[in-house]
Amino acid sequence: MTENTQQQTAPITELPTQYAPAEVEGPLYERWVERGYFEADEKSEKPPYTIVIPPPNVTGSLHLGHAFEHTLIDALTRRKRMQGYETLWQPGMDHAGIATQNVVERELAKEGKSRHDLGREAFVERVWQWKAESGGQISGQMKRLGDGVAWSRERFTMDEGLSQAVQTIFKKLYEDELIYRAERIINWCPRCLTAISDIEVEYQDDDGELVSIRYGEGDDSLVVATTRAETMLGDTAVAVHPDDERYKHLVGTQIKLPLTDRTIPVVADTHVDPEFGTGAVKVTPAHDPNDFEIGQRHNLPNLAVMDERAVITVHGPFQGLDRLEARSAIVAALRAEGRIVAEKRPYTHSVGHCSRCKTTIEPRLSLQWWVKVGPLAQAAGDAVRDGKVKIHPQEMEKRYFDWVDNLHDWCISRQLWWGHRIPVWYGPNGEIVCVGPDEQPPTGEGWHQDTDVLDTWFSSGLWPFSTLGWPERTESLEKFYPNSVLVTGYDILFFWVARMMMFGLYAMDGTPPFHTIALHGMVRDQNGKKMSKSFGNVVNPLDWMDEYGSDAVRFTLANGANPGVDVPIGEDWVKASRNFANKIWNATRFALMNGATVEGPLPDAAEMSATDRWILSRLNKTVAEVDAFYDDYQFAKLADALYHFAWDEVFDWYVELSKTTFFAGGDQAKVSGRVLGEVLDVMLRLLHPIVPFVTETLWTTLTGKESVVIAEWPTDSGFRDEAAEKEIELVQRVVTEVRRFRSDQGLQPGQKVPARFDLTGTALAPHEAAIRQLLRLQPEGEGFSATASLPVAGATVALDLSGTIDVEAERKRLTKDLAAAEKEKAQANGKLGNEAFLAKAPDNVVDKIRTRLAKADEDIARIRTQLATLPQA
C-alpha cells in the first residue's frame, strides 16, 4: 500500500442515499478531459507506456466488441498511469474505404445520383463532408464508456500526416522491389466493383447445385463436377493426377469443350486429388485461384468470361447474362446435349460473400498492385521466435506462425475513389513513376495517376508509428515507440496484427511495433452463440449503459475476459454488476457515516484487533494477487478477486464484524475506523481501472483529494498476519455453521434466539459480541434451556429453540424427508448391486446412480443430525 501525495481537503462524509450513474458519469468524464489526465507528454521523464486503439471505422458505432476491448485497454492504461508511467492511449479512426464509400453512395442514390454523376474530385469532397457531419459518432460513445484516451492526439488514417506516411512507405517498398503490379486472381465484389481483402470476405453455407459434366466422347471422355457451371466457358484445360492410371492415356491429348468450338488439353498436375470425385477437374485459370496456379505451371491461357459486374462476355447464346442466369442456361444446354451425367441440388457448400453488401464474391483475374510479403513475413515470424515480441496467451503463437509462414503476396489495390490513391503515374510511352510525398508528379500530355486506392489495411498497418509522426523522427516517436502492448481480438491476428508487424519492423529499422500482443476472444451471447442480426441476439451496449451504468457494463466484460477465449455476456450478468456497484456505494456510505477515515497514519498492529489485522493482511494479499493477474492479462481472475475481496471479505465480514466496535465507540472504534478507511482507499484504487466512475466519486469523497485517476497505484506493504487470518477463519466457521443450522431449522434470518457460548481453549472469546450480532443470538436469560448444542471450531454453541419453532411439525417434516432419502438410497443400492444391470447400462447412467447414492447418504446424515438437535418433547 502507498501513501497518496495529492493535495488533500477535509473529507466529505455524506453521499446520496442511492448511486445514480446517469447523473455522475458524464460530468466526471468531462472533468477528467478538461484537467488533461489522459494526455501524454513526450518530454516527461516518466517511463512510457503506450497502447494504440484498434482504429474503429469512421462509419461505425460502439458495439459490444468495442466496449469489451476498450474496457481492457482502459484498465491497463489507468493502472499504469497510477503506477507513475507516462501513458499514451492513442485514439483515432480508420477511413474504411469500402464501407464509407458505400454509405455516401447510398445517400447519393436517394438523390437519384451516382458517384459517376459527381466525378471523382467532387465525390471525394462529398465523403469528407459526410465525415465532418456524420462520421465518427463512435468517439462520443467511447467517452460514455469512460475511455481514457489522449483526445488531443486523435488521428484519422486520411489525415495529412498519415497520408504522408502511406506515400513514404509505398515508395520505399516500391524502390526495394517489394511492391509490384501483376495479373493475379483476387476476391472481386461485383456490387462494390473492387477487389477486397480476405478479411472482408464472409463465408457461409449456401444451397447451390453440383453438376457432373462429360467432356469429350467415348473412351476418351472425362467427367468433371462443378458448382459454377458458367465458368466452363473459360476452361482452358482438364487436369488429372500424374499417377492416376485411369487417365494416363489422355494426358497430353486434346478434348472437346462442350458448347464451344474449342478443344482443351488434358494436363497432369499433383494438385489434383485422385480420390476426390472422378479424379478429373476443370481448369479455369481466370476465375479460380487454384486453377490459376495450375495454369501458371502448364502455361495455360487465361480466358476471362465475365466482366466486372459478373456478366458473361463470351459465347453468343449466353453473352449478356448475369452469372446466375448463365448458370441455369448453360446447365439446360448441356442437359439438352446429354452432357449432364449427374445433378445434385440442393448442394450445400461454403461460399464467400462481401462483408459490406453480402454479394457473392467472384474470383477474378485482375491487374493489381501487390506487396511481396516473403521477406517481410519472415521478419514478422522471427520477431516472435526470437522473443522480441511475446504473444499472449502463448498457445496463440502457433496460429500466428501458421499464418505468417504461409503468407501469399498481398493485393493492396482497390477500385475505389475514397482512400489513399496509389502514388504512381503512367506516361504516354509506357513510363511508370512512383512519387514520394515531397516530390512533384510528372506533368505533360499523356501522364495520369493510377486510379486505384490502397487497401485500408495498408494504412492501418502503419498505425503504431504513423500516429506518432513518422516518417519524421518526432519526439513522440522517440518517446512512445514501440508500443508496450497491443490488445486486440484473435480474429484479426492475421490481417491487422501481421501487417503492423511487417511494416513496423521494415520501417523502424527492425524494431517491432509492440513488445506484447495480448489476444482476447469474441463477445458472444449468454448461451455462447455468436451475436448476429440474423439471430436476433445483437446487443447495443449503450442501452445497457443507459439502464445499468457504464461501470456495470465494464465490470461484466472484464469479469469474462480470459485470455484468447470467447466471452459470453447476458443482461442478468450486467444487472449483477450493477448490484456490485450499488454494494460498493452503500457499504462505503455506511463506512463514512461510522468513522471510516484516511486521516493520519495507520495505528500500530499492537493497537489493532485481530479483525483489523486480518483485513489488512487480506488486503495486501489481494494487492499482490491483482498485480500478478494484471501482468499476466488475466482480467477475469483479477475482476473476480476484487469482487470477492470487496463484497465477501470487506463488506460481508469486516464491516459486519466491526459493527459492534463502531457502535461502542471509544479508542478501538477510532482504530478500526482508520483501518476501514485504509481498506476502502486501497480497494477503490484497485477497482478504479475497471469501474472508474463509481470509484472516482467514492474515493474523492473518502479522501478529499483531487482524483483517483491520478492517485498512486497501491503496492503490497508486505504486512501479513497469518495468526489473525486463522483466528477470523474460526469466526467465519462458527457463523457459517450456525447460520446453516438456523436455516435447516426453518428460522427466519432476523429471528432472535437465546444462546450460550463455551469458547474455552479457542481464540473466539474477543469475537463473541460480533458473532452474536451476526447470528441474532441473544444472551442466555432466566429459564434458558439448551435444546440444541453445536460443536464447531473447538467451541460449543448451545441454543434454546423452545418457543421459536413448532417442534412436532418440524420433526414430522424431517422424518418424512428422511424416509424419502432412505428410499432413494435403497433404490440406488439395488441398481448398483444388480450385476445384470451394470453389465448393460452405459457408464454415464451408472455414474448418475452413484451420484444419487452419494447425495442420498449426505441427506440422510444431515437430516439425522437435525433430528438429533431438535428439542425433546
Side-chain angles (χ1 to χ4, degrees):
M1 295 173 289
T2 57
E3 185 69 28
N4 195 277
T5 57
Q6 289 186 58
Q7 184 177 359
Q8 184 170 330
T9 58
I12 304 167
T13 57
E14 292 187 5
L15 287 164
T17 55
Q18 291 184 327
Y19 176 50
E23 298 174 12
V24 169
E25 294 173 354
L28 272 187
Y29 190 86
E30 288 180 12
R31 190 183 312 155
W32 292 336
V33 173
E34 287 170 2
R35 293 178 177 176
Y37 293 155
F38 305 141
E39 296 302 323
D41 182 5
E42 55 270 1
K43 293 181 171 59
S44 168
E45 294 184 0
K46 297 178 182 177
Y49 187 81
T50 314
I51 296 181
V52 296
I53 189 173
N57 289 352
V58 67
T59 59
S61 60
L62 190 76
H63 56 64
L64 267 178
H66 291 130
F68 173 54
E69 186 167 80
H70 291 198
T71 294
L72 305 187
I73 299 174
D74 197 38
L76 290 173
T77 52
R78 284 179 183 269
R79 172 179 176 251
K80 284 296 183 180
R81 186 180 296 113
M82 295 171 76
Q83 285 183 316
Y85 286 78
E86 192 63 31
T87 60
L88 169 59
W89 183 8
Q90 175 66 55
M93 286 182 291
D94 193 285
H95 65 278
I98 294 177
T100 307
Q101 181 157 317
N102 280 347
V103 167
V104 178
E105 285 195 272
R106 282 196 294 270
E107 286 193 353
L108 286 173
K110 294 175 185 176
E111 303 169 14
K113 298 178 182 178
S114 74
R115 61 183 164 118
H116 300 286
D117 294 323
L118 272 67
R120 183 169 193 145
E121 187 174 335
F123 176 77
V124 171
E125 186 178 331
R126 177 72 176 259
V127 180
W128 278 108
Q129 179 185 340
W130 174 87
K131 177 189 179 290
E133 295 173 356
S134 306
Q137 63 173 321
I138 196 171
S139 295
Q141 295 164 350
M142 289 163 55
K143 294 174 182 177
R144 284 283 314 279
L145 187 66
D147 286 5
V149 300
W151 287 112
S152 70
R153 294 172 176 263
E154 186 175 12
R155 304 304 299 269
F156 181 55
T157 50
M158 290 282 285
D159 283 351
E160 182 180 349
L162 272 65
S163 296
Q164 183 182 32
V166 167
Q167 201 169 347
T168 298
I169 201 163
F170 186 98
K171 175 153 188 176
K172 179 174 170 58
L173 289 163
Y174 181 82
E175 290 179 342
D176 286 346
E177 298 183 348
L178 292 173
I179 280 183
Y180 64 93
R181 197 178 189 218
E183 270 197 329
R184 298 282 171 81
I185 294 286
I186 46 87
N187 300 310
W188 180 266
C189 176
R191 156 60 183 81
C192 298
L193 299 180
T194 181
I196 63 174
S197 66
D198 291 338
I199 197 171
E200 292 163 325
V201 179
E202 293 179 348
Y203 287 91
Q204 66 184 48
D205 287 340
D206 286 357
D207 285 340
E209 61 180 352
L210 180 68
V211 294
S212 299
I213 310 166
R214 184 176 298 281
Y215 286 19
E217 306 294 340
D219 293 339
D220 293 339
S221 65
L222 290 165
V223 175
V224 300
T226 181
T227 57
R228 302 168 67 222
E230 68 279 9
T231 63
M232 68 162 292
L233 301 176
D235 286 359
T236 55
V238 173
V240 298
H241 193 276
D243 298 331
D244 195 331
E245 294 294 337
R246 293 172 294 177
Y247 304 120
K248 276 195 173 182
H249 68 289
L250 293 177
V251 173
T253 66
Q254 294 284 320
I255 195 167
K256 179 75 164 50
L257 179 64
L259 304 183
T260 72
D261 296 327
R262 294 190 292 118
T263 60
I264 56 177
V266 178
V267 299
D269 196 281
T270 54
H271 171 76
V272 180
D273 180 0
E275 302 299 323
F276 184 77
T278 64
V281 298
K282 59 192 287 297
V283 182
T284 320
H287 293 279
D288 184 274
N290 293 321
D291 292 2
F292 178 78
E293 298 295 333
I294 294 174
Q296 293 288 295
R297 288 193 288 272
H298 297 277
N299 199 28
L300 299 175
N302 301 315
L303 179 58
V305 298
M306 289 180 234
D307 67 11
E308 60 184 8
R309 297 184 185 276
V311 172
I312 302 298
T313 58
V314 298
H315 200 67
F318 312 110
Q319 193 167 358
L321 295 179
D322 171 83
R323 56 183 167 170
L324 298 181
E325 297 171 333
R327 182 176 303 170
S328 298
I330 288 171
V331 170
L334 289 167
R335 190 183 299 114
E337 290 192 4
R339 292 284 175 181
I340 301 296
V341 175
E343 295 180 69
K344 183 178 181 181
R345 63 170 67 87
Y347 176 73
T348 303
H349 60 131
S350 181
V351 178
H353 295 259
C354 175
S355 63
R356 302 299 175 190
C357 68
K358 311 308 177 187
T359 302
T360 299
I361 290 302
E362 188 63 43
R364 185 169 189 253
L365 185 65
S366 181
L367 182 62
Q368 302 283 348
W369 285 94
W370 303 81
V371 171
K372 184 179 180 181
V373 299
L376 302 174
Q378 177 69 43
D382 289 346
V384 175
R385 290 187 183 92
D386 297 344
K388 291 182 181 177
V389 178
K390 296 188 182 303
I391 294 179
H392 186 87
Q394 190 174 3
E395 54 265 28
M396 286 286 183
E397 283 186 3
K398 182 180 184 302
R399 297 180 66 174
Y400 177 78
F401 292 136
D402 286 346
W403 178 255
V404 298
D405 292 346
N406 296 284
L407 268 179
H408 297 293
D409 285 358
W410 170 22
C411 176
I412 56 172
S413 46
R414 299 289 179 267
Q415 290 65 56
L416 304 171
W417 287 356
W418 172 244
H420 296 101
R421 196 164 173 181
I422 289 176
V424 171
W425 271 254
Y426 304 103
N429 299 312
E431 302 96 331
I432 299 178
V433 176
C434 182
V435 177
D438 300 321
E439 300 170 351
Q440 292 297 319
T443 57
E445 187 175 349
W447 282 94
H448 64 280
Q449 187 177 0
D450 196 300
T451 57
D452 289 351
V453 300
L454 287 163
D455 177 13
T456 296
W457 296 102
F458 191 93
S459 51
S460 60
L462 313 180
W463 192 249
F465 52 93
S466 64
T467 52
L468 297 173
W470 187 90
E472 300 298 325
R473 285 284 174 177
T474 63
E475 287 183 296
S476 289
L477 189 66
E478 295 294 332
K479 176 74 174 180
F480 295 114
Y481 187 90
N483 285 201
S484 306
V485 61
L486 174 75
V487 179
T488 192
Y490 64 68
D491 59 322
I492 56 173
L493 172 64
F494 317 127
F495 304 104
W496 186 46
V497 179
R499 281 152 174 69
M500 286 190 290
M501 286 284 283
M502 291 190 295
F503 281 166
L505 290 160
Y506 175 74
M508 298 300 293
D509 303 320
T511 301
F514 17 74
H515 298 301
T516 301
I517 302 167
L519 298 170
H520 59 72
M522 304 296 101
V523 179
R524 296 181 177 270
D525 72 11
Q526 61 189 19
N527 300 313
K529 192 173 184 180
K530 179 181 178 181
M531 288 192 175
S532 166
K533 290 180 181 177
S534 62
F535 296 152
N537 61 351
V538 174
V539 174
N540 183 348
L542 296 170
D543 293 340
W544 280 352
M545 288 156 67
D546 289 340
E547 181 73 19
Y548 306 111
S550 297
D551 284 335
V553 175
R554 289 171 61 115
F555 191 82
T556 305
L557 291 165
N559 203 31
N562 290 297
V565 178
D566 288 347
V567 183
I569 183 171
E571 188 167 6
D572 286 346
W573 304 339
V574 184
K575 288 180 183 177
S577 295
R578 185 269 315 273
N579 294 343
F580 179 49
N582 288 341
K583 182 75 170 180
I584 299 170
W585 181 274
N586 293 333
T588 304
R589 184 172 177 272
F590 169 85
L592 289 170
M593 293 170 62
N594 287 275
T597 180
V598 294
E599 293 182 346
L602 273 176
D604 291 337
E607 301 177 57
M608 298 180 192
S609 67
T611 309
D612 294 332
R613 298 194 305 277
W614 163 73
I615 197 63
L616 288 177
S617 184
R618 289 297 307 131
L619 176 67
N620 277 282
K621 286 183 178 180
T622 301
V623 170
E625 191 176 31
V626 168
D627 272 334
F629 287 144
Y630 261 117
D631 292 340
D632 199 34
Y633 305 100
Q634 297 279 0
F635 295 98
K637 290 182 179 179
L638 72 89
D640 187 67
L642 286 169
Y643 176 90
H644 288 293
F645 175 72
W647 194 307
D648 299 346
E649 297 187 292
V650 178
F651 302 145
D652 280 359
W653 283 110
Y654 180 73
V655 170
E656 293 299 323
L657 287 170
S658 301
K659 278 183 177 179
T660 53
T661 302
F662 291 136
F663 294 161
D667 291 342
Q668 191 57 52
K670 291 180 181 178
V671 170
S672 293
R674 179 64 189 90
V675 170
L676 179 54
E678 179 76 6
V679 171
L680 291 175
D681 172 16
V682 174
M683 183 193 76
L684 292 170
R685 281 187 276 153
L686 288 174
L687 281 164
H688 172 72
I690 299 178
V691 285
F693 294 107
V694 67
T695 52
E696 171 79 340
T697 305
L698 295 175
W699 189 85
T700 53
T701 301
L702 171 70
T703 66
K705 296 178 182 177
E706 180 181 337
S707 175
V708 71
V709 177
I710 53 172
E712 292 180 25
W713 181 253
T715 56
D716 177 7
S717 71
F719 178 85
R720 300 287 190 276
D721 194 322
E722 300 299 334
E725 290 198 39
K726 289 180 180 178
E727 187 171 322
I728 301 305
E729 284 176 14
L730 291 178
V731 174
Q732 291 171 329
R733 282 178 57 194
V734 170
V735 172
T736 301
E737 287 298 320
V738 176
R739 275 179 177 164
R740 183 180 294 118
F741 176 78
R742 286 179 57 110
S743 175
D744 289 342
Q745 299 303 317
L747 296 175
Q748 296 300 314
Q751 191 171 354
K752 294 182 178 179
V753 177
R756 176 189 298 155
F757 280 50
D758 180 0
L759 307 177
T760 306
T762 73
L764 293 168
H767 306 285
E768 181 176 341
I771 293 172
R772 286 183 177 276
Q773 171 76 21
L774 284 168
L775 291 171
R776 304 293 189 270
L777 298 180
Q778 297 175 315
E780 58 183 295
E782 288 187 16
F784 177 84
S785 174
T787 58
S789 183
L790 301 177
V792 56
T796 301
V797 180
L799 303 175
D800 183 354
L801 301 179
S802 57
T804 60
I805 61 173
D806 185 334
V807 176
E808 285 308 311
E810 186 65 12
R811 192 182 305 280
K812 286 180 181 179
R813 182 184 70 82
L814 290 173
T815 301
K816 183 178 179 181
D817 289 347
L818 179 61
E822 289 174 336
K823 181 179 179 181
E824 175 75 3
K825 177 179 180 178
Q827 290 176 341
N829 273 329
K831 289 185 177 181
L832 293 175
N834 186 334
E835 294 296 335
F837 171 79
L838 293 177
K840 295 178 181 179
D843 290 344
N844 64 319
V845 172
V846 176
D847 288 342
K848 285 182 180 179
I849 294 171
R850 288 189 175 122
T851 301
R852 284 169 48 195
L853 177 60
K855 175 68 165 53
D857 281 334
E858 182 182 313
D859 289 343
I860 290 168
R862 175 179 56 80
I863 296 168
R864 284 176 174 169
T865 299
Q866 290 175 239
L867 282 167
T869 55
L870 281 176
Q872 297 301 311

